[in-house]
């Protein structure tokens, strides 16, 4: 349940960051381009250039966000594995103690 919540929150966070950056870029760059350039052919060309720039930047942004969250999940997984090993060792010790106590009880009852 916790992992599902974490993944859900991460997905929403990444989507909101992408939405915000994308919307801001599209609106601001189109307004700026329209204010600075009047020639339709130049606007079309620069629109393609800014589109590819946008793809490049958002690819890096998404890679960074996803990589960071994968590293976080890997660290949590490593911690959970370590805790699982500790729990298993404690269980084995408890089982050995129980076996020893049963043996001693059997000896006392004879």
């Amino acid at each position: 349940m916790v992992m599902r919540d974490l993944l859900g929150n991460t997905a929403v966070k990444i989507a909101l960051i992408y939405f915000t950056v994308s919307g801001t870029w599209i609106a601001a760059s189109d307004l700026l381009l329209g204010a600075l350039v009047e020639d339709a052919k130049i606007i079309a060309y620069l629109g393609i250039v800014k589109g590819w720039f946008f793809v490049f930047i958002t690819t890096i942004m998404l890679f960074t966000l996803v990589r960071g969250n994968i590293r976080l999940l890997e660290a949590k997984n490593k911690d959970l594995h370590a805790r699982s090993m500790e729990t298993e060792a404690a269980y084995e010790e408890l089982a050995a103690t129980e076996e020893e106590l049963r043996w001693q009880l059997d000896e006392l009852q004879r």
Side-chain angles (χ1 to χ4, degrees):
M1 183 77 172
V2 172
M3 190 63 75
R4 178 178 283 166
D5 291 344
L6 178 63
L7 291 174
N9 290 338
T10 300
V12 168
K13 182 173 82 172
I14 290 172
L16 288 174
I17 290 170
Y18 180 79
F19 177 81
T20 302
V21 169
S22 300
T24 302
W25 171 259
I26 291 169
S29 65
D30 283 348
L31 287 171
L32 183 62
L33 188 59
L36 296 176
V37 180
E38 293 180 9
D39 187 334
K41 287 182 183 180
I42 295 175
I43 289 176
Y45 173 75
L46 291 177
I48 292 170
V49 170
K50 82 177 184 71
W52 278 109
F53 178 75
F54 173 79
V55 169
F56 176 74
I57 294 300
T58 56
T59 299
I60 292 170
M61 180 187 74
L62 288 170
F63 172 79
T64 302
L65 289 169
V66 170
R67 182 183 63 183
N69 282 288
I70 287 172
R71 286 181 176 168
L72 176 65
L73 289 172
E74 287 173 343
K76 287 182 184 256
N77 188 41
K78 185 177 179 180
D79 182 53
L80 286 173
H81 179 71
R83 289 181 185 196
S84 173
M85 297 303 289
E86 290 172 5
T87 302
E88 186 176 334
Y91 173 78
E92 288 175 4
E93 184 179 336
L94 182 61
T97 301
E98 179 192 19
E99 186 176 325
E100 175 65 25
L101 290 173
R102 286 181 186 269
W103 182 82
Q104 288 177 8
L105 182 61
D106 285 345
E107 288 296 312
L108 288 173
Q109 291 176 344
R110 287 182 191 185

